Amino acid sequence: MVVKTSTLQDVARVANVSTATVSRTLSNPDVVSESTRTRVAEAVKATGYRINRAARNLRTQRAHSVLVLLPDLANPFFSMILEGISRHLSQEGYSMLIASTKQVHDSGERLIDYLDDARADGMIILDGGLDPEVVDMLESAPQAKRILFACEWIDGTSFPSVRCENREGARMAVNHLYDLGHRKIAHVTGPEGNVLMHRRKDAFIDEITKLKLEHKPDWIIAGEFSLAAGCRAAQAWIALDDRPTAVFCASDQLAMAFIAELSRHAFKVPEDVSVMGFDDIGLAEQFIPPLTTIKQDRLMIGETAAKMLMARILPPKDKNLNHAAVLPVSLVVRKSTTAPH
Amino acid sequence: MVVKTSTLQDVARVANVSTATVSRTLSNPDVVSESTRTRVAEAVKATGYRINRAARNLRTQRAHSVLVLLPDLANPFFSMILEGISRHLSQEGYSMLIASTKQVHDSGERLIDYLDDARADGMIILDGGLDPEVVDMLESAPQAKRILFACEWIDGTSFPSVRCENREGARMAVNHLYDLGHRKIAHVTGPEGNVLMHRRKDAFIDEITKLKLEHKPDWIIAGEFSLAAGCRAAQAWIALDDRPTAVFCASDQLAMAFIAELSRHAFKVPEDVSVMGFDDIGLAEQFIPPLTTIKQDRLMIGETAAKMLMARILPPKDKNLNHAAVLPVSLVVRKSTTAPH
DNA sequence: TAGCACGATGTAATCGATTGCATAGTGAAG
DNA sequence: CTTCACTATGCAATCGATTACATCGTGCTA
């Protein structure tokens, strides 16, 4: 460290009080007298004092930061969620640490180290695909209470989570297509093993069944949340003898790639087939055709996650420890769906 | 803090040595004897010791983390760069803190506080649009050496930066279109005042001039790095009396929105007009038509930025302090450009 | 064998803020 | 005038790791 900033001691000297008083003035102004308060304030200004967080963190046994774990930093889906998390954290004087589960894994670190380390006070995990042994370790760790999942989660664990109404979203999608007149509806799923994939797929099947619609095994097309998977799904759809007139894709990216691949094979959307996505990412609106989709409010998911985590980290003022928050989704109708010809 | 982890003292007690020896064993194994090394290693394992970073940070006067500042967290362009930065940082045992300039500004914090605070040892700024007074403050701060720009930068300042060959990229774009046979080429710029916008625009004009191509003022269409701007630019192009046969857009997003809007007005790309982007974001390949663009290696930009910053933060072993790194770009030819009809 | 160098380890100060406890000072009640 | 309550402030320990300096022991050299 080249630069020497002034410390509490310097401020105390200038204000002619003890360091204890300065500290109290800064963190709990009510307990000191009016006169010292102003004196300290002046001294702070005069010295250009900035609190040293490392010192405070050591003394208070808090890192004043939260780790956010993404499956993959390069996935644009998460940016809005980060924005939401960050917004709330910075309001609370907390910083946001970012890492990807892949990278942590590759570097041989253990996730729990971030907590053991005093690097972070809690973590928000956006990856439901963690290795089971990692999950076991997290769950049995004494700090398990300071871990929370968002968007994705892991069934059978006790971690609280914030997520959107995935089932309801799938239902809305099917009903939208049904209302347009579609009776043969396919579903392109997310990656095998992914919780979101299962929720959405199960709800899709439930709704199809409830509406007594025709239903074939190969109308459930296995995909992942990637562009390439969308292309493969399109090829699968093209290869069908009896093609559904509408396709509900488990994500917008998937839907876009699906449509792109169709168009390369001279199929038109929505004329030849209606296609829906899920998420409502920024590009959905600009896509050709603009994508009909199920919107998740990612900003709110992020904010809610941060709020819930902070409630578990901070001293319990208002004991409002929800175990899970399930946020509403909404149908956004654009141009990629229409009545069957 | 609910959880009590073991400390150096605990390890020292178990290994029957002093804390100094344990510390040395951990950070500088060569200076201790073989036997103590194994004894300490066993004690560490037995106690489940994890270093307390807050304590180490306080003692060493280092935060062991770096702040990355984005103009806007919700912009997917940056995710790859973050991935690159994070990759290198974690290799060095550093953590990555994320914040957005907008948010920092709104919350009334000062950027330099992150450094003064001992919250971060350095920062990588991805926003060339900082307020001039903020820039002045950063530049005159004693810690200015620990600040670095990536992707964007600020002309007239002394901050080192990592960027791609913007000029060369624009030149490549123009020449690609020229080689296809285009003689009337337009440019949709980035946002006014943005350094990238200027570089690319200036290089565009230079190259047009060099090639002695026709050139009209309204063939430079003012845009921003947003989808909406791309739509507006398309409308501007449509409104031209004498329409250029090719358009070089300053970003992929811009190009995609441009194409989308054209298609809404029944213009086809590349049949009616060739369109190029800049960046090569993930979606460029999947777009319809797949986008011809100038590729920036964002992963490498991130890694290089992290490396350069670390070189300035860490003790100078190999004094290789480049002031700026300019990384190559490459032309990626896809389907959005073709010879004029 | 004395002297010295060097390797290995211990002692204790230190980083800077927080906070339990002690104390001084003030005013009111008895 | 004493005593009590209460407010404002100071003292000093503390969080846990690092590191300058001191010390001890061993082996080599003259």
Side-chain angles (χ1 to χ4, degrees):
Chain A
M1 180 74 87
V2 195
V3 186
K4 190 73 195 168
T5 60
S6 45
T7 71
L8 257 199
Q9 300 235 30
D10 300 325
V11 178
R13 202 175 310 117
V14 172
N16 205 33
V17 292
S18 71
T19 60
T21 300
V22 179
S23 175
R24 279 188 284 252
T25 309
L26 263 29
S27 58
N28 198 4
D30 297 336
V31 304
V32 303
S33 72
E34 174 70 35
S35 68
T36 36
R37 210 173 336 177
T38 58
R39 210 137 36 88
V40 168
E42 281 162 18
V44 165
K45 196 172 294 175
T47 54
Y49 171 75
R50 292 269 91 210
I51 193 174
N52 182 315
R53 300 217 174 204
R56 192 228 275 174
N57 290 349
L58 173 58
R59 178 60 227 231
T60 60
Q61 303 286 61
R62 292 254 210 70
H64 294 275
S65 65
V66 162
L67 175 70
V68 181
L69 268 168
L70 314 178
D72 175 11
L73 274 181
N75 186 335
F77 174 79
F78 297 107
S79 49
M80 272 295 209
I81 294 170
L82 294 183
E83 176 89 41
I85 294 173
S86 166
R87 215 176 263 191
H88 184 75
L89 288 185
S90 78
Q91 204 174 295
E92 299 272 352
Y94 265 61
S95 308
M96 182 171 76
L97 237 42
I98 304 267
S100 75
T101 50
K102 192 169 65 96
Q103 199 175 278
V104 170
H105 179 264
D106 290 351
S107 71
E109 280 183 301
R110 300 177 324 158
L111 279 180
I112 201 72
D113 286 353
Y114 278 83
L115 264 29
D116 276 343
D117 258 354
R119 243 184 306 181
D121 295 330
M123 57 204 239
I124 296 176
I125 304 181
L126 300 176
D127 184 355
L130 292 182
D131 289 345
E133 61 255 51
V134 172
V135 175
D136 281 350
M137 183 211 292
L138 290 179
E139 209 172 5
S140 60
Q143 311 94 329
K145 289 201 186 71
R146 299 189 269 129
I147 298 174
L148 175 150
F149 279 73
C151 286
E152 307 198 350
W153 65 95
I154 298 180
D155 277 324
T157 64
S158 54
F159 298 114
S161 72
V162 179
R163 54 181 97 160
C164 74
E165 270 283 14
N166 286 289
R167 285 217 173 81
E168 180 59 20
R171 260 183 240 127
M172 287 167 116
V174 172
N175 280 298
H176 168 64
L177 296 171
Y178 181 86
D179 291 345
L180 285 172
H182 294 278
R183 293 298 176 266
K184 290 159 46 172
I185 304 177
H187 178 46
V188 179
T189 73
E192 183 55 45
N194 179 285
V195 278
L196 302 178
M197 176 273 194
H198 283 295
R199 287 292 156 119
R200 294 173 192 174
K201 186 178 83 170
D202 292 350
F204 171 83
I205 293 175
D206 287 354
E207 202 63 16
I208 290 290
T209 309
K210 200 165 122 198
L211 291 172
K212 302 193 198 313
L213 296 183
E214 190 178 357
H215 176 45
K216 300 189 182 177
D218 55 7
W219 289 2
I220 303 277
I221 303 174
E224 317 162 25
F225 295 139
S226 75
L227 297 173
C231 294
R232 285 196 300 273
Q235 288 154 10
W237 179 85
I238 291 170
L240 292 175
D241 297 325
D242 182 16
R243 295 191 192 118
T245 60
V247 179
F248 165 46
C249 297
S251 83
D252 284 351
Q253 283 218 6
L254 214 40
M256 290 181 189
F258 188 91
I259 294 173
E261 184 67 11
L262 284 188
S263 108
R264 276 176 215 121
H265 292 81
F267 289 92
K268 301 205 116 197
V269 175
E271 292 81 354
D272 298 326
V273 54
S274 287
V275 178
M276 287 191 66
F278 201 114
D279 288 345
D280 195 26
I281 63 177
L283 224 51
E285 193 174 356
Q286 298 297 335
F287 198 70
I288 312 175
L291 209 61
T292 295
T293 191
I294 302 296
K295 177 190 167 93
Q296 309 193 43
D297 190 339
R298 282 135 73 217
L299 201 61
M300 175 160 295
I301 291 178
E303 277 180 326
T304 307
K307 253 178 232 167
M308 274 179 57
L309 184 62
M310 292 303 286
R312 309 184 137 245
I313 290 174
L314 293 179
K317 344 177 206 188
D318 42 344
K319 265 284 187 191
N320 203 358
L321 294 189
N322 295 350
H323 185 72
V326 181
L327 304 178
V329 293
S330 55
L331 173 68
V332 181
V333 178
R334 297 203 182 91
K335 305 282 185 192
S336 66
T337 53
T338 188
H341 57 271
Chain B
M1 179 73 88
V2 195
V3 186
K4 189 74 195 165
T5 60
S6 45
T7 71
L8 257 199
Q9 300 235 31
D10 300 326
V11 178
R13 202 175 309 116
V14 172
N16 204 32
V17 292
S18 71
T19 60
T21 300
V22 178
S23 176
R24 278 188 286 252
T25 310
L26 263 29
S27 57
N28 198 4
D30 298 334
V31 304
V32 303
S33 72
E34 175 70 33
S35 68
T36 36
R37 210 173 334 173
T38 59
R39 208 137 39 87
V40 168
E42 281 162 18
V44 165
K45 197 172 295 177
T47 53
Y49 171 74
R50 291 270 91 208
I51 193 173
N52 181 315
R53 301 217 173 203
R56 191 227 273 173
N57 290 349
L58 173 59
R59 178 59 227 230
T60 60
Q61 303 286 62
R62 291 255 210 69
H64 293 274
S65 65
V66 162
L67 175 70
V68 181
L69 267 169
L70 313 178
D72 175 11
L73 273 180
N75 186 336
F77 174 79
F78 298 108
S79 49
M80 272 294 207
I81 294 170
L82 294 183
E83 176 89 40
I85 293 174
S86 167
R87 215 176 263 191
H88 184 75
L89 289 185
S90 79
Q91 203 174 296
E92 298 272 354
Y94 264 62
S95 308
M96 181 171 76
L97 238 43
I98 304 268
S100 75
T101 49
K102 192 169 67 97
Q103 199 173 277
V104 170
H105 179 265
D106 290 352
S107 70
E109 279 182 300
R110 300 177 324 158
L111 279 180
I112 200 71
D113 286 352
Y114 278 84
L115 264 29
D116 276 342
D117 258 355
R119 243 185 305 180
D121 294 330
M123 58 202 236
I124 297 176
I125 304 180
L126 301 176
D127 184 356
L130 293 180
D131 289 343
E133 61 255 50
V134 172
V135 176
D136 281 350
M137 182 211 292
L138 290 179
E139 209 172 5
S140 61
Q143 311 94 329
K145 290 200 186 71
R146 298 190 271 131
I147 299 174
L148 174 149
F149 280 74
C151 286
E152 306 198 350
W153 66 94
I154 298 180
D155 277 322
T157 64
S158 55
F159 297 114
S161 72
V162 178
R163 55 181 97 162
C164 74
E165 271 281 14
N166 286 288
R167 284 216 174 83
E168 181 60 19
R171 260 182 241 127
M172 287 167 116
V174 172
N175 279 298
H176 167 64
L177 295 170
Y178 181 86
D179 291 346
L180 285 173
H182 293 278
R183 295 298 177 264
K184 291 159 43 172
I185 305 176
H187 178 48
V188 180
T189 73
E192 183 56 45
N194 179 285
V195 278
L196 302 178
M197 175 272 194
H198 284 295
R199 288 290 156 122
R200 295 174 192 172
K201 187 178 83 171
D202 292 351
F204 171 82
I205 293 174
D206 287 353
E207 203 61 18
I208 289 290
T209 309
K210 200 165 123 197
L211 292 171
K212 300 192 199 313
L213 295 184
E214 191 177 357
H215 175 46
K216 300 189 182 179
D218 56 6
W219 288 2
I220 304 278
I221 304 174
E224 319 161 26
F225 296 139
S226 77
L227 297 172
C231 294
R232 284 195 301 273
Q235 288 155 9
W237 179 85
I238 292 170
L240 291 175
D241 297 326
D242 182 16
R243 295 190 192 118
T245 60
V247 179
F248 165 47
C249 297
S251 84
D252 284 351
Q253 283 217 5
L254 214 41
M256 290 181 189
F258 188 91
I259 293 173
E261 183 68 11
L262 284 188
S263 109
R264 275 176 218 123
H265 291 81
F267 289 92
K268 302 205 116 197
V269 174
E271 293 81 354
D272 298 326
V273 54
S274 287
V275 178
M276 288 191 64
F278 201 114
D279 289 344
D280 196 25
I281 64 177
L283 224 50
E285 192 174 358
Q286 299 296 335
F287 198 70
I288 314 174
L291 209 61
T292 296
T293 191
I294 302 297
K295 176 189 168 95
Q296 311 193 41
D297 190 338
R298 281 134 74 218
L299 203 61
M300 175 160 294
I301 291 178
E303 276 179 326
T304 308
K307 253 178 234 167
M308 273 178 57
L309 185 61
M310 292 303 286
R312 309 183 137 244
I313 290 174
L314 294 179
K317 346 177 205 187
D318 43 345
K319 265 284 187 187
N320 203 358
L321 294 188
N322 295 350
H323 184 73
V326 181
L327 304 177
V329 294
S330 55
L331 173 68
V332 181
V333 178
R334 298 202 182 92
K335 305 284 186 192
S336 66
T337 52
T338 188
H341 57 274

